[in-house]
Amino acid sequence: MKALTWQGKRKIEYGEVPDPKIEQPTDAIIKITSSGLCGSDLHLYEVMAPFLQAGDVLGHEPMGIVEEVGSEVTNLSPGDRVVVPFGIACGTCFMCEHGLQSQCETTQVTEHGSGAALFGYTKLYGQVPGGQAEYLRVPQAQYGPVKVPEGPPDDRFVYLSDVLPTAWQGVEYAGVPDGGTLAVVGLGPIGDMASRIALHRGYRVIGVDLVPERLGRAAARGVEVLALSNDVAAKVRDMTDGRGPDAVIDAVGMEAHGSPVAKAGQQLAGLLPDKLQEKLMTTAGVDRLAALYLAIDLVRRGGTVSLSGVYGGMADPLPMLTIFDKQLQLRMGQANVRNWTDQILPLLTDEDPLGVDDFATHHVPLAEGPAAYAKFQKKEDGAVKILFRP
């Protein structure tokens, strides 16, 4: 089959890889009809190189048609239309039963001290072949895949794999009071969708970004937008009675703009052999923290900072004096997809209150994947959300 594979830093290839097969009785094989390109895929494109191997199949936002199921998968049949969550969970362990599917004890990657295995996302999370491909083997298929109805186009449902539950969890974790104000730092796919969810719940939403197209896109939905600047925190306080918003979502993560020292450190580490990079990143790695620092600065005293952007540093310097003094709550983590899908599905109707039908800015053949990665990283051509059609 054809797939997108990682071949080195900023080097993605489209080519032949082995067809997936049923390996366990709880597996299913899915023929992919749509697969998203995620902002966290860009971390693999650039920063997380030492944890990948040439030939790793990328992608963790797929949906498609069931082709084959293992003997213990009784909830799915060939021909079913399904969305596949990016995290692999069993549904029956202690963590899954407590709504923490991203910490599933059945699929935890204990070798690296990590949570549940993820599709297409480094050896730290199981090195499971991903969904930017024509076919996908889905472990734990007796629980993970979400069946969706025939009829509407893939764009109606594909975001259940990641974007919708990640944004939903970000808003849930933010704990905005009724009628309260939420600021969203970063208006890429997750920040954009989190803003839509928050507006749907009746919150006031202030969005911050540095890309004009993203600011315009959010403003068209009713978000009060501000371009990133040195005085953006003061502007937000002026808009919120001098206090700041009740909560802030950091939807940027480890590669935030405005972190020159950390960026230089990441670039210098990238010159080291993979083994040395890996050791450095797992013991002394530092993220670009400009977005997190801004979120801590923006939020009112007693408020909440919700982290949806991915972080991976082991030695990140945090302003603990400010966090403690402002009495802040921080909530974060990989999305527990199956904990939220039943709440989200009723919104994926023809009324489309969250605007999923036209959420994607680009639909491209899988063969154009290498160019799409480059375009998305450089934020060219208004690229906010790219969907591949295998």
Side-chain angles (χ1 to χ4, degrees), residues 155-174:
D155 289 46
R156 180 75 56 85
F157 303 113
V158 67
Y159 306 115
L160 284 169
S161 59
D162 182 352
V163 173
L164 278 165
T166 296
W168 191 276
Q169 179 170 296
V171 176
E172 287 282 338
Y173 281 9

Side-chain angles (χ1 to χ4, degrees), residues 36-39 60-61 86 157-170 188-194 197 217 308 335 337 344 356 359 384-387:
L37 174 55
C38 180
H60 58 268
E61 297 186 350
F86 73 89
F157 303 113
V158 67
Y159 306 115
L160 284 169
S161 59
D162 182 352
V163 173
L164 278 165
T166 296
W168 191 276
Q169 179 170 296
I190 301 302
D192 187 335
M193 186 57 76
I197 291 166
R217 177 178 160 105
S308 293
V337 176
I344 299 169
V356 295
F359 188 72
V384 176
K385 189 62 186 177
I386 298 175
L387 290 181

Side-chain angles (χ1 to χ4, degrees), residues 173-380:
Y173 281 9
V176 185
D178 289 345
T181 300
L182 172 70
V184 179
V185 178
L187 295 170
I190 301 302
D192 187 335
M193 186 57 76
S195 298
R196 298 178 185 211
I197 291 166
L199 289 169
H200 179 72
R201 295 186 181 191
Y203 306 145
R204 180 188 184 194
V205 182
I206 301 170
V208 179
D209 204 293
L210 46 70
V211 181
E213 293 88 348
R214 297 183 177 192
L215 291 165
R217 177 178 160 105
R221 302 283 309 187
V223 177
E224 299 172 56
V225 300
L226 292 171
L228 183 65
S229 63
N230 291 333
D231 62 347
V232 70
K235 291 179 179 177
V236 171
R237 280 190 283 274
D238 286 344
M239 297 166 67
T240 52
D241 298 322
R243 297 189 189 93
D246 299 294
V248 180
I249 292 176
D250 169 1
V252 180
M254 67 171 71
E255 294 185 84
H257 290 268
S259 306
V261 175
K263 179 179 180 179
Q266 289 176 348
Q267 291 173 335
L268 288 172
L271 301 176
L272 298 172
D274 281 355
K275 285 294 183 183
L276 291 179
Q277 283 190 65
E278 183 178 330
K279 180 66 175 176
L280 181 66
M281 292 177 70
T282 54
T283 56
V286 176
D287 296 304
R288 306 183 203 175
L289 294 172
L292 177 55
Y293 287 168
L294 177 59
I296 291 167
D297 188 15
L298 289 178
V299 72
R300 69 163 170 78
R301 291 177 178 273
T304 299
V305 174
S306 173
L307 305 185
S308 293
V310 175
Y311 286 96
M314 289 297 287
D316 287 340
L318 294 179
M320 291 305 299
L321 186 154
T322 302
I323 294 170
F324 182 84
D325 178 65
K326 291 183 74 173
Q327 201 168 332
L328 303 184
Q329 177 174 237
L330 272 64
R331 297 199 69 184
M332 65 196 78
Q334 299 280 10
N336 303 298
V337 176
R338 293 295 270 116
N339 193 48
W340 310 116
T341 50
D342 288 350
Q343 296 179 46
I344 299 169
L345 265 169
L347 297 177
L348 304 183
T349 64
D350 287 342
E351 286 74 28
D352 193 19
L354 301 179
V356 295
D357 283 349
D358 59 1
F359 188 72
T361 53
H362 296 72
H363 296 83
V364 301
L366 197 61
E368 296 180 13
Y373 266 83
K375 178 183 291 186
F376 189 37
Q377 187 194 44
K378 295 173 184 176
K379 301 179 176 66
E380 294 177 342

Side-chain angles (χ1 to χ4, degrees), residues 1 30 54 294:
M1 69 171 182
I30 308 297
L294 177 59

